[in-house]
C-alpha cells in the first residue's frame, strides 16, 4: 500500500485526513491540515515567519536567534541541515577510515625496516623486495575497499593523507546535488500545480460553454413561442376586424332605404 514507505504517524494521518499536500514553506508533502506541515506550523508559532535558507534559497528557514544552533554560522532549513549533517558525518567516517589505513601502512613500513636492518645487504635486498611485493597487494586491496564505498580517491591520497580538500569538494558537490534535487522536486510540484490549474480552467470553460449553449437554446425556444403567440393573436385580430367590417355594411344599406 501507499503507507508502507512513510512513518506510523503519517500513516495514521493519511487514514484520518487523507493524502497530504505540499507544505507552502518547505514543500514537503506533509500538510494534512491547511497548507503547512506540523513542523513549519510549530516553528512559525515559536520563532516567527520563515527566512530564506542560505543553501536552497527557499523561504523555509526559521531563525532560532541562537548562533550555536546554526550550521557553520549559516541559517539553513530543516532539509538542508539534515543533508549537511549527513555529508559531514560521512566525511568524518571516511577521514577516520583513511587515517587508520595510513597508520597501519606506516606500522608495516616500520616493521619491514626493522626486519631488514638486521640482515646482510643481499638478504636485506631480498627481504625488501619480497616485503614490497607483499605490501603492494595489501595496499591495493585497501584502496579497492575504499573505492568500493562509492568515493573515488587516488592511491597517493589514500596512502599519504586524509585529503581534507578532497573531502570538502565532495561535500560541496553532494550539497549541490541535494539542492538540485530539491529544486527539481519543487519545479515538478509547480508543473503539477499548473497542469492541475489548466485542467480546472478547461473544465470550467467547457461547463460555461455548455451553460451558454443551453441558455441560447432556451432563449431561442422562448422567442419562437412568443412569435407564435403574437402571430396567432394577430390572425385573431384580423378575423375580428373582418367580421366588424362585414357587420357595418348591412346597417348602412338599411338606413338608406327606410322612409
Amino acid at each position: 500500500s501507499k503507507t508502507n514507505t512513510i512513518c506510523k504517524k503519517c500513516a495514521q494521518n493519511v487514514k484520518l485526513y487523507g493524502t497530504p499536500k505540499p507544505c507552502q514553506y518547505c514543500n514537503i508533502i506533509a500538510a494534512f491540515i491547511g497548507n503547512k506541515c506540523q513542523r513549519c506550523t510549530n516553528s512559525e508559532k515559536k520563532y516567527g515567519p520563515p527566512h530564506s535558507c542560505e543553501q536552497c534559497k527557499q523561504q523555509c528557514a526559521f531563525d532560532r536567534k541562537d548562533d550555536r544552533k546554526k550550521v557553520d554560522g549559516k541559517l539553513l532549513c530543516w532539509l538542508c541541515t539534515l543533508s549537511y549533517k549527513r555529508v559531514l558525518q560521512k566525511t568524518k567516517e571516511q577521514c577516520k577510515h583513511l587515517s587508520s589505513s595510513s597508520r597501519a601502512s606506516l606500522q608495516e613500513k616500520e616493521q619491514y625496516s626493522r626486519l631488514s636492518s638486521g640482515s646482510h645487504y643481499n638478504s636485506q635486498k631480498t627481504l625488501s623486495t619480497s616485503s614490497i611485493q607483499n605490501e603492494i597487494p595489501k595496499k591495493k586491496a585497501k584502496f579497492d575497499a575504499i573505492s568500493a564505498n562509492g568515493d573515488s580517491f587516488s592511491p597517493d591520497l589514500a596512502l599519504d593523507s586524509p585529503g581534507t580538500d578532497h573531502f570538502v569538494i565532495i561535500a560541496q558537490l553532494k550539497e549541490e546535488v541535494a539542492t538540485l534535487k530539491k529544486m527539481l522536486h519543487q519545479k515538478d510540484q509547480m508543473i503539477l500545480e499548473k497542469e492541475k490549474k489548466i485542467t480546472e480552467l478547461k473544465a470550467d470553460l467547457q461547463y460555461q460553454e455548455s451553460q451558454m449553449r443551453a441558455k441560447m437554446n432556451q432563449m431561442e425556444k422562448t422567442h419562437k413561442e412568443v412569435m407564435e403567440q403574437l402571430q396567432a393573436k394577430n390572425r385573431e385580430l384580423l378575423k375580428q376586424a373582418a367580421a366588424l367590417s362585414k357587420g357595418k355594411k348591412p346597417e348602412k344599406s338599411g338606413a338608406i332605404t327606410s322612409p
Side-chain angles (χ1 to χ4, degrees):
S1 63
K2 294 182 180 180
T3 59
N4 287 338
T5 57
I6 60 177
C7 65
K8 293 182 179 179
K9 186 175 181 181
C10 287
Q12 292 176 356
N13 288 334
V14 168
K15 293 179 181 178
L16 291 175
Y17 306 108
T19 304
K21 296 179 293 184
C23 176
Q24 69 177 23
Y25 290 153
C26 63
N27 282 318
I28 298 176
I29 304 176
F32 291 96
I33 303 174
N35 297 324
K36 291 176 283 189
C37 66
Q38 192 63 38
R39 182 181 293 104
C40 289
T41 301
N42 295 336
S43 298
E44 187 177 20
K45 290 180 181 178
K46 191 173 182 180
Y47 306 113
H51 299 273
S52 177
C53 175
E54 296 184 25
Q55 183 64 33
C56 64
K57 309 303 180 184
Q58 299 298 316
Q59 202 77 9
C60 55
F62 293 92
D63 190 1
R64 301 184 180 184
K65 309 298 182 183
D66 188 355
D67 292 337
R68 293 176 299 177
K69 294 184 179 180
K70 293 183 178 180
V71 183
D72 287 345
K74 294 181 180 180
L75 181 61
L76 302 181
C77 65
W78 182 70
L79 283 179
C80 291
T81 301
L82 289 182
S83 177
Y84 186 88
K85 288 182 178 179
R86 282 197 298 268
V87 172
L88 189 62
Q89 181 64 27
K90 189 173 181 180
T91 303
K92 288 181 180 179
E93 292 176 356
Q94 290 171 348
C95 288
K96 185 177 179 181
H97 181 71
L98 285 177
S99 298
S100 61
S101 299
S102 299
R103 286 195 298 270
S105 177
L106 289 174
Q107 290 176 359
E108 289 178 0
K109 288 181 180 179
E110 291 176 357
Q111 184 178 2
Y112 293 144
S113 63
R114 285 197 301 269
L115 290 173
S116 60
S117 62
S119 302
H120 192 263
Y121 174 76
N122 292 329
S123 61
Q124 180 180 3
K125 183 177 180 181
T126 304
L127 180 60
S128 298
T129 304
S130 61
S131 300
I132 292 172
Q133 291 176 351
N134 291 330
E135 184 180 358
I136 290 173
K138 292 180 181 179
K139 292 179 179 179
K140 187 175 184 302
K142 291 177 181 178
F143 174 70
D144 292 339
I146 294 171
S147 300
N149 291 331
D151 299 318
S152 58
F153 303 100
S154 63
D156 294 335
L157 181 63
L159 296 175
D160 295 335
S161 66
T164 306
D165 294 337
H166 193 65
F167 288 125
V168 171
I169 294 173
I170 292 175
Q172 291 176 351
L173 290 174
K174 288 183 177 179
E175 287 180 2
E176 291 178 1
V177 170
T179 302
L180 291 174
K181 285 183 178 179
K182 187 174 181 180
M183 292 176 64
L184 181 61
H185 176 71
Q186 292 172 354
K187 294 291 184 183
D188 290 339
Q189 292 295 328
M190 290 175 62
I191 291 172
L192 289 174
E193 290 177 359
K194 288 182 179 179
E195 289 179 351
K196 183 179 178 181
K197 190 173 182 180
I198 290 171
T199 304
E200 291 175 353
L201 290 174
K202 285 183 178 179
D204 185 53
L205 181 61
Q206 290 178 355
Y207 175 77
Q208 290 181 1
E209 287 179 353
S210 63
Q211 290 292 106
M212 185 65 68
R213 283 195 296 268
K215 189 175 181 180
M216 290 177 65
N217 291 334
Q218 183 65 30
M219 289 175 65
E220 185 178 357
K221 184 179 179 181
T222 303
H223 178 71
K224 187 176 181 180
E225 291 176 355
V226 171
M227 289 298 296
E228 289 177 354
Q229 291 176 1
L230 290 175
Q231 288 176 358
K233 190 174 182 180
N234 189 25
R235 286 193 296 269
E236 185 67 25
L237 290 174
L238 289 174
K239 288 180 182 180
Q240 291 178 5
L244 289 173
S245 62
K246 288 180 181 180
K248 287 181 179 180
K249 287 181 180 180
E251 290 178 0
K252 288 181 180 180
S253 60
I256 294 172
T257 55
S258 62

